C-alpha cells in the first residue's frame, strides 16, 4: 500500500511540475503575441476539448501524465507558414528565448515558493531559538539531544595545560559532578581554588 501511495504521489507531483512548466511557456508566448493553438492536459491522443479561450483550445488527453502546449508555426512546413503573424518564428529572438526559458523559470519559482512556505509555515525542519526549547523538544521525543561541554582551547602555561588536558576534548565532570552545559561548570567551580576535571578525549 505504501509503495502504491508513493508511486501515486510521485505521479501527481511530476504531473504538476510538467503543467507548471508548460504554463510558463504558455504565459510567455501569450505575452509575446504568439498564438497558443493548444494547451493539453495529459498527452495525446486527444480525448476531449474542454473549452476554447483567446484562440487556444484546452484539451483533455488520454494519457493522464503531464501536459503540453502547441504554438502556432511549430509544425509548419514552409518558411511562409513559419513566419505567419502570431507564429513562434515571427517574434524576435529575445522573445523566443524568453518563451523557451519560461518553463524552467516557472519550475524554479515554484520550488522557491514551496520551500518558503514549507520552512516558514509548515515547519519542515524544526527551528529552536534556545536550549530550553531544544530540551523540551527532546522530552517530547521530537529530536534526540545529547549535550556536552567541549574544551575548545587550552591556554599555554595554564593549570589545564600543565595537567595535559587536550583541546577539543569533552569535559564530563567537575569534582565528580556530571556537567553538560558551561553554566554548570561555572557553578561547580565558584569559590574554589582547586577542582578535579574528568575529561573524555
Amino acid at each position: 500500500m505504501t509503495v502504491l501511495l508513493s508511486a501515486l504521489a510521485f505521479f501527481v507531483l511530476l504531473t504538476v511540475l510538467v503543467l507548471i512548466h508548460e504554463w510558463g511557456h504558455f504565459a510567455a508566448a501569450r505575452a509575446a503575441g504568439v498564438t497558443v493553438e493548444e494547451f493539453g492536459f495529459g498527452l495525446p491522443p486527444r480525448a476531449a476539448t474542454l473549452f476554447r479561450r483567446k484562440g487556444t483550445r484546452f484539451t483533455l488527453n488520454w494519457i493522464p501524465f503531464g501536459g503540453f502546449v502547441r504554438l502556432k508555426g511549430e509544425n509548419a512546413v514552409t518558411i511562409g507558414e513559419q513566419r505567419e503573424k502570431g507564429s513562434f518564428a515571427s517574434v524576435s529572438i529575445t522573445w523566443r528565448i524568453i518563451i523557451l526559458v519560461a518553463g524552467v523559470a516557472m519550475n524554479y519559482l515554484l520550488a522557491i515558493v514551496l520551500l518558503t512556505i514549507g520552512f516558514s509555515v509548515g515547519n519542515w525542519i524544526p527551528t529552536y531559538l534556545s536550549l530550553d526549547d531544544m530540551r523540551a523538544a527532546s522530552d517530547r521525543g521530537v529530536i534526540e539531544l545529547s549535550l556536552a561541554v567541549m574544551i575548545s582551547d587550552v591556554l599555554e602555561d595554564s593549570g589545564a595545560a600543565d595537567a595535559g588536558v587536550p583541546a577539543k576534548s569533552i569535559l564530563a565532570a567537575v569534582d565528580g559532578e556530571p556537567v553538560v552545559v558551561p553554566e554548570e561548570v561555572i557553578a561547580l567551580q565558584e569559590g574554589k581554588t582547586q577542582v578535579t576535571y574528568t575529561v573524555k578525549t
Side-chain angles (χ1 to χ4, degrees):
M1 189 64 175
T2 302
V3 174
L4 290 176
L5 288 175
S6 297
L8 180 61
F10 174 78
F11 180 81
V12 172
L13 178 61
L14 195 57
T15 296
V16 170
L17 290 175
V18 172
L19 288 175
I20 290 292
H21 179 93
E22 295 302 326
W23 187 86
H25 294 312
F26 171 80
R30 279 281 185 85
V34 174
T35 300
V36 181
E37 295 180 336
E38 184 176 358
F39 191 118
F41 296 89
L43 299 177
R46 185 182 302 146
T49 297
L50 300 175
F51 58 91
R52 294 176 183 269
R53 186 174 181 183
K54 295 182 179 179
T56 302
R57 173 190 285 185
F58 291 83
T59 62
L60 183 65
N61 295 271
W62 283 112
I63 301 176
F65 179 79
F68 68 94
V69 292
R70 183 159 50 85
L71 307 181
K72 183 176 180 179
E74 277 188 321
N75 298 322
V77 177
T78 67
I79 294 181
E81 292 176 329
Q82 292 174 358
R83 296 289 181 178
E84 283 183 3
K85 183 179 179 180
S87 67
F88 177 73
S90 68
V91 298
S92 66
I93 293 177
T94 302
W95 268 117
R96 278 181 267 172
I97 293 173
I98 291 173
I99 293 170
L100 292 173
V101 172
V104 175
M106 283 304 301
N107 287 142
Y108 184 75
L109 181 61
L110 177 65
I112 292 176
V113 170
L114 291 179
L115 290 174
T116 300
I117 293 173
F119 287 116
S120 62
V121 180
N123 293 323
W124 288 353
I125 294 182
T127 301
Y128 305 102
L129 301 179
S130 70
L131 181 58
D132 289 338
D133 290 343
M134 294 178 68
R135 279 177 161 168
S138 178
D139 292 339
R140 295 193 307 270
V142 177
I143 61 173
E144 291 184 11
L145 182 63
S146 179
L147 296 175
V149 178
M150 186 182 77
I151 301 172
S152 60
D153 197 11
V154 177
L155 298 177
E156 294 183 7
D157 300 323
S158 66
D162 294 339
V165 175
K168 309 303 180 186
S169 58
I170 300 298
L171 178 57
V174 176
D175 285 340
E177 293 289 333
V179 292
V180 293
V181 292
E183 289 79 9
E184 294 174 342
V185 178
I186 296 171
L188 289 170
Q189 292 181 151
E190 189 173 2
K192 297 179 181 179
T193 58
Q194 183 175 342
V195 294
T196 300
Y197 288 161
T198 302
V199 178
K200 294 180 180 179
T201 57

